């Protein structure tokens, strides 16, 4: 490990007592606690941290914050790896490992740059132009581009980290913990309001941590610490450092990402999550989001060693890291003079300040001059030199209001060029919230203008850049927000914190610095460093007609990528505006969208991963099924046994065994998941009449009836059996998947259309465990468990129900059947489900009792031609299409009836349910396969229908299928062809009932 | 994520609700008395305004009640929430 | 009556009683910010009716000793049993002791001559107790409800979403401790979710 060559001996907010080691691009370096990866790299004199995406020119650290376009790194390796971390926001920890992105084979020696491989391929609009050509050409390019470009790599294993999500409500959310945000939180917090203060940095203070301002006569960093401590002591204030509010949605709903343990590295999280997603509902929001410095656009402005002036100041002041040894400042405003003075104080030689303004007259320029720093006014940087690191710049005099340069170029050797083109308020969240921005010509920036939600911008984020203004505006915003939610401070009146500041003159003109002798093209003037978009690209796009800002963005990729153009957008807009003879107010700006900075997928997923990715609903018998080898099928959120696999069996074998047992002796099935709705009231029968297709008033107590439920469009929505439990009491069953929907449907009609009906409904699905016994021995086994009910077919016929005691448990028995066999559905309170099931299994052993999965049940019902809603129906199928006219009453109105008479619903030639028998008895057709009349026909071949259900039937010794076929019932006995991969199969249309057509087994 | 004022439970997150589309669509009292076109209009045709809109919501993961909401479809401002059977605010009829 | 061995609580499969029996000092990281338990079986009765009608209120009061709460999202009956939880303007969940099997019959009987709905739902929901210093935070991780003490306190109850399950949250005391009523089929999922969400505070299981 080498000496930290650019580290200052003292000062800064780093802890020299806690040295840290880290590895960057395979080399080992040292840093200190309190460093970011970027500051530690600078302290070690590392200048090249990556490569440009198109031209693969070397790039260095450009900023000290979230806006960083260049220093984007791959953090850690393997499953822990994180793509596109901004080195300027990565807190250093011991053992950190990072590599550059965009470099192959390395940042120092880049293959693509050496060959100049990519630049001719990637003009503005490259993707659009290329896609106009044959796709084959794109494939050729893509292979090259994917290898050499593209930011970052995805992890190669499942994410080992834990992520958390939390919902929180507050009276006032303050975004940003700089001077304005701290003042706002103090003013709101002292009233007792529920306040959240979130800031993306590791400690509160914002830009106060970078300089040496004074507040209320004391060092600002002392004031910051005291303010943070006071906020921590307030019961209802929650301070969230390391938390980026990245999205502002409707109704003051905001999302924030807290990096809980990222700063500890991958090994030290323990029980804490790596990151936590805060979902915040705020009554009032204060956006104290600060500002981002913008770079001037000049030839060769991308070389390592060129960085934002405030960033250079931050590195020496906060991190005690010298970003260079000999600096030149290039600015159009007074702020950069602070950086010059601080750099000099940190023993960086300041060669000159180049100011585009002809006569800077402010206090700060005066101070710099009196400190003997050379001021080159009315000049601009027109060229830069140096291969992997800046070695010199050239400056020339500006003329023609900044439109051209003239005179001798003066060469100034330097390894740091600190640049400033003024400041842009960080208005991203304000814009996301729907607020309108306006272009402020004085500051040449977009500032919040009209809020769309209960939100207040304050401080630099509002275009109020001076410290005294930030404090006053933040304090006022906090007090006002608290007052608006009815929260008022008691006790002594408090005063806003104050500061004395050196006034600044307005910034100079903001535009592209012309290159001498190159009115167009020539040396690259970079606008968007991350996407390698140049001023020439913008001009090209404008010439080609992409003059709208949204088109420009997509055509050039300006403002895309991980930094979303935080340092590029306003410059790009200014160039486009100038080309169009207008200003930014005229061009407008692109839409700001969440997230403000990248958010990991892990944080968005939270704990909804793995076993918790969805709720799994389990019946009381679930764990018995598991032990019996059940494979499960998801039906909605329910886990239903699909088939029970015995050792040595495959699925087909298991299903065959189950189907044969049900027909020949005894099957047992867990039907708990069927929806059950308890209906009570004098108008219960009237409700059933209105929602079902058949009539209910004559159904006797003790009997059941099957019916269809239609949507108002006349299409089948659900089916099921309803039993009359008492005079005004019914129990409706629904399909498993539709249970919630049907209950909601009944409630909707009762609440909104028929409030006069005296009837209440309630779901009792979960109250009962339902066990179905079916097959020739069903009655015999059940009789062993019940003595108080005559199970004989006379006393207890098909479609009847009885209250009975089963195994000592008060139960309801329903003689209904979905398999076509003698069958009883036994409902017992859920707590007894497993016990009764186990008892049935033990006692049924002598009959060869066999648990049935859903697959066997589906085969058995298909043998009988029974439909499954959602399989034979798809929302376009009427009762008549299913051949179920017999269930549709013509004597009453019901939901959907009117639609059955609509022209389309009543037309001939609709698809109708039929059976299909394949010529090849062993062939099981794929469900969904299309039927055609003449497969030899020239395509397109019209379809006449499709297969809805298809199985091998062990009981019939052949395959069976159900299908919906145009005019199907008129085609009995006709042959059709089923379109299959590799040819067509012949099948004959037949009646859908394949087995026990008379139903003697059912009634037996 | 909207914050919806349930007339019974107060302001709750949108995730607790389901939207039932445009409000105040009357089911024809006698379905047989209307033409196919009128019936289709009741079944399928809905307005899709940019601006003030009245729609039905149900507090499905709350009190289970259906109610109506007056919402601006651009700003999402909810100017009123009112119970089934109540007149929309500002409706003099 | 059925043999006792046949009865199973919704979370019986998880072996919670055995976990509850482990002395706290034997559990790694004994600091437990979240205390979870499966509440013992109780009678739960679905009740619907028109709370504006004095006869309905009187009939319910005759059985429970108090009328069903008319105020939205509140529970009647205090910290003991029976309780009546407001679920909707015409819907309550009545909770009584498991031994008190008579209540469902008594309510049906008392309301037989009016239009009301009484249904036994004792097996339809599991009841999970959630307490401890981290209880409120755990709730916030999966629920958008504002459970701050100023917004939701003892005696408040509501249906809402917790993670991916619909629950009834009933805050019993200021501590806070909560009863979470969840549909039986969701109980194992919700328990697993609660344990996961509680990890950072430390989870202890009690009987």
């Amino acid at each position: 490990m080498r000496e930290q060559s650019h580290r200052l001996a003292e000062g800064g907010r780093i802890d020299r007592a806690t040295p840290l080691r880290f590895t960057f691009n395979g080399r080992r370096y040292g840093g200190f606690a309190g460093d970011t990866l970027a500051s530690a790299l600078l302290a070690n004199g590392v200048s090249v941290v990556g490569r440009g995406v198109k031209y693969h020119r070397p790039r260095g650290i450009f900023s000290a914050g979230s806006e960083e376009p260049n220093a984007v790194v791959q953090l850690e390796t393997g499953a822990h790896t994180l793509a596109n971390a901004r080195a300027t926001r990565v807190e250093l920890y011991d053992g950190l490992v990072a590599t550059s992105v965009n470099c192959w084979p390395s940042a120092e020696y880049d293959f693509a740059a050496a060959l100049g491989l990519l630049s001719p391929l990637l003009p503005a609009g490259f993707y659009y132009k290329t896609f106009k050509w044959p796709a084959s050409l794109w494939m050729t390019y893509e292979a090259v581009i994917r290898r050499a470009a593209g930011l970052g790599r995805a992890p190669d294993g499942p994410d080992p980290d834990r992520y958390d999500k939390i919902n929180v409500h507050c009276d006032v959310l303050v975004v940003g913990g700089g001077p304005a945000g701290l003042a706002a939180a103090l003013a709101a917090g002292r009233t007792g309001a529920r306040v959240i203060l979130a800031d993306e940095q590791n400690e509160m203070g914002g830009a106060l941590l970078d300089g040496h301002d004074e507040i209320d006569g004391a060092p600002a960093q002392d004031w910051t610490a005291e303010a943070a401590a006071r906020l921590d002591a307030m019961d209802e204030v929650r301070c969230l450092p390391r938390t980026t509010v990245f999205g502002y949605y409707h109704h003051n709903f905001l999302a924030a990402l807290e990096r809980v343990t990222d700063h500890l590295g991958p090994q030290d999280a323990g029980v804490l999550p790596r990151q936590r997603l805060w979902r915040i509902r705020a009554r009032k929001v204060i956006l104290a989001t600060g500002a981002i410095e913008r770079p001037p656009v000049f030839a060769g402005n991308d070389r390592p060693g060129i960085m934002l002036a405030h960033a250079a100041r931050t590195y020496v002041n906060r991190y005690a890291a010298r970003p260079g040894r000999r600096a030149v400042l290039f600015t159009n405003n007074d702020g950069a003079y602070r950086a010059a003075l601080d750099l000099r104080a940190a023993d960086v030689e300041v060669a000159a300040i180049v100011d585009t303004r002809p006569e800077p007259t402010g206090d700060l320029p005066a101070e710099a001059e009196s400190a003997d720093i050379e001021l080159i006014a009315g000049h601009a940087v027109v060229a830069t030199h140096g291969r992997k690191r800046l070695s010199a710049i050239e400056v020339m005099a500006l003329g023609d209001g900044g439109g051209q340069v003239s005179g001798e170029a003066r060469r100034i050797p330097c390894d740091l060029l600190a640049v400033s083109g003024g400041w842009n308020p960080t208005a991203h969240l304000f814009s996301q919230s729907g607020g309108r921005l306006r272009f402020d010509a004085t500051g040449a920036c977009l500032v919040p203008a009209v809020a769309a939600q209960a939100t207040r911008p304050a401080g630099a984020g509002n275009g109020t850049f001076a410290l005294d203004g930030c404090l006053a505006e933040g304090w006022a915003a906090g007090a006002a927000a608290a007052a608006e939610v009815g929260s008022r401070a008691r006790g002594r009146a408090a005063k806003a914190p104050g500061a004395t500041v050196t006034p600044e003159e307005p910034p100079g003109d903001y535009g592209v610095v012309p290159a001498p002798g190159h009115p167009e093209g020539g040396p690259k003037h970079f606008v968007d460093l991350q996407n390698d978009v140049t001023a020439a690209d913008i001009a090209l796009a404008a010439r080609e007609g992409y003059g709208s800002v949204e088109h420009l963005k997509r055509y050039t990729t300006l403002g895309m990528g991980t930094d979303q153009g935080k340092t590029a957008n306003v410059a790009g807009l200014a160039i486009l505006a100038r080309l169009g003879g207008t200003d930014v107010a005229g061009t407008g700006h692109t839409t700001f969208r969440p997230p403000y900075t990248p958010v990991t997928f892990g944080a968005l997923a939270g704990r909804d991963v793995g076993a918790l990715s969805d709720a799994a609903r389990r019946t009381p018998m679930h764990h018995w099924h598991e032990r019996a080898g059940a494979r499960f099928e998801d039906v909605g959120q329910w886990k239903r046994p699909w088939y029970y696999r015995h050792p040595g069996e495959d699925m087909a074998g298991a299903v065959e065994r189950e189907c044969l047992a049900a027909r020949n002796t005894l099957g047992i099935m867990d039907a708990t998941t069927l929806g059950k709705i308890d209906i009570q009231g004098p108008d219960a029968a009237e409700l059933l009449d209105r929602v079902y297709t058949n009539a209910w008033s004559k159904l006797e107590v003790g009997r059941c009836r099957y019916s269809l439920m239609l949507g108002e469009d006349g299409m089948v929505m659900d089916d099921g059996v309803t039993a009359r439990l008492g005079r005004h009491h019914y129990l409706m069953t629904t399909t498993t998947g539709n249970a919630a929907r049907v209950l909601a449907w009944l409630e909707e009609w009762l609440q909104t259309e028929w409030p006069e009906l005296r009837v209440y409904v309630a779901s009792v699905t979960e109250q009962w465990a339902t066990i179905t016994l079916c097959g020739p021995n069903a009655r015999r086994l059940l009789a062993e468990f019940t003595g108080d009910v005559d199970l004989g077919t006379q006393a207890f016929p098909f479609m009847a129900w009885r209250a009975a005691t089963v195994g000592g448990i008060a139960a309801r028995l329903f003689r209904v059947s979905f398999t076509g066999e003698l069958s009883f559905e036994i409902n017992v309170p859920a707590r007894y489900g497993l016990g009764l099931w186990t008892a049935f299994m033990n006692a049924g052993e002598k009959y060869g009792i066999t648990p049935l999965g859903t697959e066997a049940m589906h085969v058995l019902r298909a043998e009988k031609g029974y439909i499954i809603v959602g399989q034979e129906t798809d929302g376009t199928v009427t009762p008549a299409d299913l051949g179920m006219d017999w269930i549709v009453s013509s004597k009453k109105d019901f939901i959907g009836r009117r639609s059955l008479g609509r022209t389309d619903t009543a037309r001939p030639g609709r698809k109708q349910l039929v059976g299909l028998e394949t010529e090849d008895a062993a062939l099981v057709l794929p469900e969904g396969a299309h039927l055609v009349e003449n497969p030899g026909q020239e395509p397109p071949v019209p379809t006449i229908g499709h297969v809805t259900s298809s199985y091998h039937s062990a009981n019939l010794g052949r395959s069976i299928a159900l299908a919906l076929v145009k005019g199907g019932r008129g085609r009995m006995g006709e042959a059709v062809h089923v379109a299959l991969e590799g040819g067509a199969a012949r099948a004959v249309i037949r009646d859908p009932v394949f087995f026990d057509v008379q139903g003697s087994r059912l009634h037996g | 994520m909207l914050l919806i004022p349930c007339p019974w439970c107060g302001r709750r997150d949108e995730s607790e609700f389901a939207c039932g589309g445009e409000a105040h669509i009357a089911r024809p009292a006698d379905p047989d008395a209307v033409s196919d076109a009128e019936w289709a209009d009741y079944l399928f045709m809905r307005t899709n305004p940019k601006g003030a809109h009245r729609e039905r919501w149900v507090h499905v993961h709350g009190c289970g009640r259906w109610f109506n909401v007056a919402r601006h479809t651009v700003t999402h401002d909810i100017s009123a929430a009112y119970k089934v059977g109540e007149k929309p605010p500002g409706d003099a009829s | 009556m059925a043999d006792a061995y046949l009865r199973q609580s919704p979370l019986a499969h998880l072996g919670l009683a055995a976990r509850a029996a482990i002395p706290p000092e034997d559990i790694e990281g004994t600091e437990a910010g979240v205390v979870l338990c499966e509440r013992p079986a109780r009678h739960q009765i679905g009740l619907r009716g028109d709370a504006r009608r004095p006869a309905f209120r009187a009939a319910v009061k005759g059985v429970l000793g108090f009328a069903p709460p008319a105020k939205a999202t509140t529970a009647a009956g205090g910290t003991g049993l029976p309780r009546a939880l407001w679920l909707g303007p015409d819907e309550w969940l009545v909770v009584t002791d498991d031994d008190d099997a008579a209540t469902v019959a008594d309510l049906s009987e008392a309301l037989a001559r009016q239009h009301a709905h009484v249904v036994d739902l004792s097996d339809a929901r599991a009841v999970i107790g959630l307490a401890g210093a981290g209880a409120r935070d755990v709730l916030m991780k999966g629920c958008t409800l504002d459970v701050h003490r100023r917004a939701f306190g003892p005696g408040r109850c509501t249906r809402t979403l917790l993670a991916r399950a619909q629950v009834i949250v009933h805050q019993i005391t200021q501590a806070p401790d909560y009863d979470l009523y969840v549909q039986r089929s969701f109980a194992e999922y919700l328990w697993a979710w609660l344990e996961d969400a509680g990890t950072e505070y430390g989870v202890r299981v009690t009987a």
Side-chain angles (χ1 to χ4, degrees), chain A residues 251 281 712 748 751 899, chain B residues 27 39 42 56 66 76:
Chain A
H251 291 180
R281 185 75 74 171
E712 188 72 299
E748 179 179 349
Q751 286 183 34
S899 292
Chain B
R27 187 175 200 253
W39 183 253
Y42 154 70
R56 305 184 317 140
W66 282 91
H76 297 289

Side-chain angles (χ1 to χ4, degrees), chain A residues 634-652:
Chain A
D634 289 341
V635 183
Q637 290 168 309
W638 283 104
K639 299 284 175 196
R640 296 198 72 181
W642 189 18
Y643 59 95
Y644 298 81
R645 210 167 83 174
H646 286 183
E649 245 178 6
D650 60 3
M651 177 177 174

Side-chain angles (χ1 to χ4, degrees), chain A residues 583-603:
Chain A
D583 62 8
V584 174
T587 61
H589 59 88
T590 51
T591 310
F592 291 92
R593 291 194 182 85
Y596 171 66
T597 48
V599 180
T600 57
F601 283 111

Side-chain angles (χ1 to χ4, degrees), chain A residues 250-251 253 279 281 712-713 747-749 751-753 893-895 897-899 901-903, chain B residues 1-3 13 27 31-32 34-36 39-40 42-44 56 64-66 76 78 84:
Chain A
H250 305 310
H251 291 180
F253 179 73
R279 305 171 82 247
R281 185 75 74 171
E712 188 72 299
D713 60 1
E747 273 293 338
E748 179 179 349
W749 285 93
Q751 286 183 34
T752 64
E753 287 288 338
D893 193 26
F894 55 88
I895 295 170
R897 186 193 57 84
R898 175 64 183 82
S899 292
R902 293 180 68 235
T903 345
Chain B
M1 196 66 78
L2 305 183
L3 191 63
D13 199 85
R27 187 175 200 253
D32 291 319
V34 299
S35 69
D36 272 11
W39 183 253
Y42 154 70
L43 268 187
F44 303 121
R56 305 184 317 140
R65 292 285 109 180
W66 282 91
H76 297 289
I78 293 176
V84 169

Side-chain angles (χ1 to χ4, degrees), chain C:
Chain C
M1 199 56 211
D3 293 328
Y5 74 89
L6 280 175
R7 294 181 50 158
Q8 273 224 318
S9 81
L11 293 172
H13 178 73
L14 300 180
L16 300 177
R19 281 180 63 187
I22 302 171
E25 58 271 21
D26 292 356
I27 303 170
E28 204 182 334
T30 45
E31 193 189 336
V34 174
V35 181
L36 291 173
C37 69
E38 181 180 17
R39 298 273 192 231
R42 290 170 175 172
H43 259 291
Q44 299 177 45
I45 303 158
L47 172 67
R48 300 193 70 169
D50 186 347
R52 291 165 302 186
R53 286 179 41 237
F56 175 76
R57 291 200 306 274
V60 175
K61 190 174 179 186
V63 175
L64 300 181
F66 49 81
K71 191 161 184 267
T73 67
T74 63
T79 57
L81 296 174
R83 299 171 188 163
L85 313 184
W86 186 98
L87 300 183
D90 65 355
E91 188 182 0
W92 299 266
L93 185 71
V94 175
V95 184
T96 70
D97 201 83
D98 192 46
D99 299 330
D100 182 17
T103 310
V104 67
D106 292 348
L107 273 174
S108 298
E109 169 102 22
L111 292 162
R113 295 181 177 284
Q114 38 183 304
H115 172 43
H117 190 166
V118 178
V119 62
D120 187 354
L121 294 173
S122 303
D123 290 49
R125 292 190 182 93
V127 187
I128 296 172
L130 166 66
R136 187 178 274 125
D137 277 0
V138 165
L139 213 47
M140 287 161 65
K141 286 171 191 244
C143 181
T144 58
L145 198 66
D146 187 358
V147 288
H148 187 271
R149 57 186 175 80
R150 289 181 189 169
F152 198 84
R156 295 289 302 280
C157 67
T158 182
R159 251 191 309 233
T160 183
L161 271 179
L162 178 55
R164 292 169 181 267
Q166 190 185 83
V167 296
I168 302 165
V169 178
H170 178 200
Q171 185 171 342
I172 314 293
T173 66
Q174 185 71 57
D177 75 74
Y178 303 95
D179 276 1
L180 307 174
Y181 295 74
V182 62
Q183 289 183 78
R184 188 184 187 103
S185 66
F186 286 92
E188 280 189 33
Y189 159 78
L190 189 69
W191 182 277
W193 186 93
L194 288 165
E195 284 215 51
D196 192 65
T199 305
E200 67 179 282
Y201 313 101
V203 175
R204 188 158 58 88
V205 177
T206 58

Side-chain angles (χ1 to χ4, degrees), chain A residues 542-733:
Chain A
R543 276 204 310 280
E544 292 183 351
Y546 296 92
S548 128
V549 291
E550 296 288 353
H551 292 162
L552 175 75
K553 171 175 174 174
R554 282 147 189 86
Y555 198 59
T556 62
T557 71
L558 172 79
M560 295 188 176
T562 66
D563 66 340
Q564 290 286 292
K566 289 183 178 62
T567 57
N569 282 338
V570 169
L573 295 176
I575 293 167
L576 186 70
R578 193 155 301 191
L579 291 166
T582 174
D583 62 8
V584 174
T587 61
H589 59 88
T590 51
T591 310
F592 291 92
R593 291 194 182 85
Y596 171 66
T597 48
V599 180
T600 57
F601 283 111
L604 295 174
R607 56 176 43 78
D608 295 342
V609 292
L612 298 178
S613 60
D614 195 8
R617 301 180 69 181
R618 299 178 176 93
T619 75
M621 293 83 94
H622 181 86
H623 298 288
W624 189 95
H625 302 319
E626 265 182 349
R627 282 193 298 275
R631 300 295 184 272
F632 290 89
E633 176 182 32
D634 289 341
V635 183
Q637 290 168 309
W638 283 104
K639 299 284 175 196
R640 296 198 72 181
W642 189 18
Y643 59 95
Y644 298 81
R645 210 167 83 174
H646 286 183
E649 245 178 6
D650 60 3
M651 177 177 174
V655 172
E656 187 158 319
R657 174 176 50 74
E658 292 172 21
C659 286
L660 290 170
R663 294 262 186 254
N664 297 330
T665 172
L666 180 58
I668 182 170
M669 211 180 72
D670 182 353
T672 303
T673 63
L674 283 183
K676 304 175 222 25
I677 299 170
D678 189 85
I679 303 174
Q680 296 181 30
D683 292 325
E686 175 65 22
L687 173 67
L688 295 173
D689 269 341
R690 294 186 190 189
V691 299
Y692 272 145
T693 54
N694 46 4
W696 290 84
S697 45
K698 297 214 175 85
L699 185 75
E700 292 167 22
V701 174
R703 300 301 301 244
C704 312
R705 182 165 285 168
Y706 172 80
S707 193
L708 294 177
M709 194 176 281
L710 309 186
E712 188 72 299
D713 60 1
M715 302 303 154
V716 174
M717 176 181 132
D718 200 54
D719 70 344
V721 169
T722 297
R724 189 165 186 184
L725 301 183
R727 186 159 162 249
H728 294 150
H729 193 183
Y730 293 79
L731 181 73
M732 175 187 282
T733 61

Side-chain angles (χ1 to χ4, degrees), chain A residues 171-340:
Chain A
D171 293 323
V172 183
L173 168 66
V174 181
V175 183
L182 283 170
L186 286 168
R190 63 185 290 276
T191 69
R194 294 164 63 185
V195 175
I196 296 174
L197 171 63
D199 188 273
E200 62 179 349
Q201 301 205 67
N202 61 328
E203 53 181 328
M204 296 294 165
L208 297 176
L209 303 171
D210 310 333
H212 32 68
D213 305 278
E214 290 197 349
I215 293 176
D216 288 344
Q221 294 184 10
D222 294 350
W223 176 85
T224 298
E226 194 215 313
R230 273 166 60 201
L231 290 169
D232 276 335
M234 295 179 184
D235 282 344
E236 296 299 340
V237 176
R238 192 195 288 267
C239 291
L240 296 174
R242 301 189 171 100
T243 302
T244 307
V245 179
F246 64 80
Y248 197 140
Y249 307 90
H250 305 310
H251 291 180
N252 265 8
F253 179 73
L254 296 94
L257 182 72
E258 181 189 8
R259 291 166 292 278
V260 183
T261 55
D262 271 354
H263 61 288
L264 302 176
Q267 305 308 327
D268 291 330
V271 295
L272 288 175
R274 177 181 163 209
Q275 297 178 341
R276 194 186 325 267
L277 187 76
W278 290 82
R279 305 171 82 247
I280 306 167
R281 185 75 74 171
R283 295 175 71 187
K284 305 287 168 189
V285 173
I286 294 168
L287 296 175
T289 46
I292 293 173
E293 196 166 27
R294 57 175 179 247
V297 177
F298 56 95
N301 58 343
D302 68 326
R303 246 176 256 286
I306 300 174
M307 75 166 55
L308 293 169
H310 185 81
R313 184 174 184 234
T314 300
Y315 285 118
V316 292
N317 288 343
R318 181 170 176 187
Y319 299 106
R322 267 190 304 232
R325 298 190 190 280
R326 183 177 158 86
V328 172
L329 280 292
F330 178 32
T331 183
N332 70 346
N333 64 81
D334 286 2
Y337 290 77
R338 288 184 212 278

